[in-house]
Amino acid sequence: MPTKTDILDLYFMDSRYKLLDIAAYLDRLDRHDGELDFRQRGFDKALAAMQAPPTGKSRAQAVLEALSDHSTEPADAATIQFAFGAPQDS
Amino acid sequence: MNYIEPHAHMVSRTTADYQAMAMAGCVAICEPAFWAGFDRGSVEGFRDYYRQLTEYEPARAKKFGIPHFTWLCINPKEAEDAGFGREVLSIIPDFLDAPTVLGIGEIGLNKNTKNELAIFEEHVALAVKHDLPILIHTPHLEDKLKGTRLIVDSLKNANVDPGRVIIDHVEEHTAGIVLDAGFWAGMTLYPESKCTPGRAIDILETFGNENIWMNSACDWGISDPLAVAKCSIEMKKRQYTPELIQKVVFDNPKKFLSQSPNFRI
Ligand SMILES: [Zn+2]
């Protein structure tokens, strides 16, 4: 099994650049006019969930669950064919 | 290293992709029926698609020495029109005797609707009637968790042998739901959505190496027909032994797919 140092060697630079991309994306949203919508509210919840995942959940699970529809009944009909990436009630 | 690509939409790929996959060590390609990026206008459009899957693609793959297999169904997006879905379902038995058909798939849900679920259940009944394995597509992004739960509940109610069902496109929040219920799980290496190679290996480390495979699901979207081969290199970087890499990219898919009498490599 790889050690923490092995994982850092493999993934630190890649994760560093992805982190910076998220920071720059949030700055970009701040800089531009208009309104945020449910997608960014879901994103903010996911960021918080990543920092403090519920007991028994990994960070990745917490992020995915923050960005999931938690309703349980089948929908009456499809109004769109695609998915947004965050639930519309975020 | 030899590997099996258990989920690829080659109708959307170039012949050069077949060549690249052969060079990368791909020894079998399995192609589930899916949404072509647009809604087809008639049942005959599906008949032509099934002919493409059972006649044309095997011939195209054979030029590169790769056996090509297929799964048949109407995908959940087009099954939202349940009347149309049933008309298409009625022609599927015409193709089930083709020598490269493995089973029914990729059926499943897209927006988790009542009609999608009804047509899903009719496909499951068709598979049971013909004693065929099932390959299942789980919905995208925010719809995946709910869809996976609905699918697992529906299959439990139908008393289907979970060892003959693979539920594909699992991620960290759904892999446990699928594997704990005894089903096989598929991980899809797809840019922008689904899994990166790094995350797919994390899922193996978290949930184990049994009853799980990985695929590229390469199609008309931004996707990579060599994703499985590239992930096996990532596994090597993560200090997986050659035996363990082979288990995930070859032995596991071979074990599941061999439940279809038509799967021979
Ligand atoms: Zn697919």
Side-chain angles (χ1 to χ4, degrees):
Chain A
M1 279 289 277
T3 63
K4 284 186 167 46
T5 303
D6 293 326
I7 296 297
L8 283 162
D9 289 346
L10 278 176
Y11 293 109
F12 173 77
M13 285 303 286
D14 181 57
S15 299
R16 181 186 185 277
Y17 110 85
K18 287 171 179 163
L19 179 62
L20 266 170
D21 231 23
I22 292 170
Y25 159 68
L26 295 173
D27 287 341
R28 203 174 302 141
L29 279 176
D30 287 344
R31 226 172 34 245
H32 287 78
D33 293 335
E35 295 298 317
L36 295 174
D37 64 26
F38 66 91
R39 290 172 294 180
Q40 190 54 34
R41 289 193 288 278
F43 196 99
D44 289 340
K45 282 182 194 169
L47 279 179
M50 180 181 74
Q51 295 281 36
T55 311
K57 302 272 183 196
S58 70
R59 289 183 175 82
Q61 285 172 330
V63 165
L64 285 162
E65 292 192 6
L67 292 170
S68 292
D69 172 10
H70 287 269
S71 68
T72 54
E73 289 302 309
D76 286 332
T79 52
I80 49 170
Q81 280 189 315
F82 59 93
F84 288 103
Q88 285 175 266
D89 60 0
S90 291
Chain B
M1 175 175 291
N2 283 354
Y3 73 97
I4 293 169
E5 172 52 83
H7 186 148
H9 299 291
M10 300 308 292
V11 298
S12 302
R13 308 301 310 190
T14 64
T15 302
D17 289 336
Y18 274 114
Q19 185 181 40
M21 292 168 82
M23 289 171 70
C26 182
V27 294
I29 296 175
C30 307
E31 176 156 5
F34 83 140
W35 189 60
F38 66 99
D39 290 349
R40 278 156 280 220
S42 70
V43 175
E44 290 310 301
F46 276 89
R47 190 184 297 280
D48 287 341
Y49 178 46
Y50 300 150
R51 283 185 46 232
Q52 188 179 15
L53 289 173
T54 55
E55 296 171 21
Y56 180 69
E57 290 303 328
R60 205 156 73 110
K62 197 175 173 189
K63 288 180 184 151
F64 300 94
I66 308 178
H68 176 285
F69 303 93
T70 193
W71 301 77
L72 299 178
C73 75
I74 173 169
N75 63 85
K77 269 188 188 150
E78 286 167 283
E80 172 65 0
D81 178 346
F84 182 66
R86 290 190 179 102
E87 280 184 64
V88 175
L89 254 170
S90 74
I91 68 164
I92 291 175
D94 298 351
F95 293 87
L96 291 180
D97 291 333
T100 54
V101 172
L102 299 175
I104 298 298
E106 57 183 303
I107 58 171
L109 300 174
N110 179 49
K111 296 306 292 182
N112 300 323
T113 71
K114 291 174 179 169
N115 278 356
E116 289 170 10
L117 198 55
I119 298 299
F120 170 79
E121 289 170 352
E122 288 173 39
H123 276 103
V124 170
L126 180 70
V128 169
K129 182 179 169 195
H130 291 268
D131 195 25
L132 292 168
I134 300 171
L135 189 156
I136 296 180
H137 162 96
T138 50
H140 304 282
L141 304 172
E142 71 269 25
D143 300 316
K144 185 180 297 291
L145 180 65
K146 176 179 176 179
T148 303
R149 286 177 174 153
L150 288 170
I151 286 165
V152 166
D153 287 347
S154 166
L155 291 167
K156 282 181 180 168
N157 290 336
N159 273 326
V160 177
D161 174 1
R164 285 170 59 83
V165 179
I166 182 140
I167 300 183
D168 214 331
H169 316 318
V170 302
E171 293 181 60
E172 290 86 342
H173 60 328
T174 57
I177 298 171
V178 168
L179 291 166
D180 289 348
F183 298 99
W184 279 67
M187 297 184 290
T188 297
L189 305 161
Y190 202 89
E192 292 185 14
S193 63
K194 310 192 175 79
C195 282
T196 58
R199 283 177 52 212
I201 300 166
D202 295 334
I203 291 172
L204 293 174
E205 289 178 0
T206 307
F207 296 96
N209 305 306
E210 297 300 329
N211 296 356
I212 193 160
W213 77 28
M214 49 176 76
N215 59 70
S216 74
C218 58
D219 58 13
W220 42 263
I222 297 168
S223 50
D224 181 359
L226 300 184
V228 174
K230 288 176 183 170
C231 192
S232 68
I233 295 170
E234 189 82 6
M235 291 169 82
K236 198 171 169 186
K237 291 189 337 194
R238 296 267 286 261
Q239 302 179 18
Y240 276 63
T241 61
E243 292 74 24
L244 198 47
I245 298 172
Q246 179 181 314
K247 175 174 172 52
V248 175
V249 303
F250 183 84
D251 298 342
N252 282 0
K254 183 166 184 267
K255 183 177 172 189
F256 180 83
L257 296 163
S258 294
Q259 297 184 87
S260 287
N262 285 342
F263 186 80
R264 279 186 293 268
I265 54 170

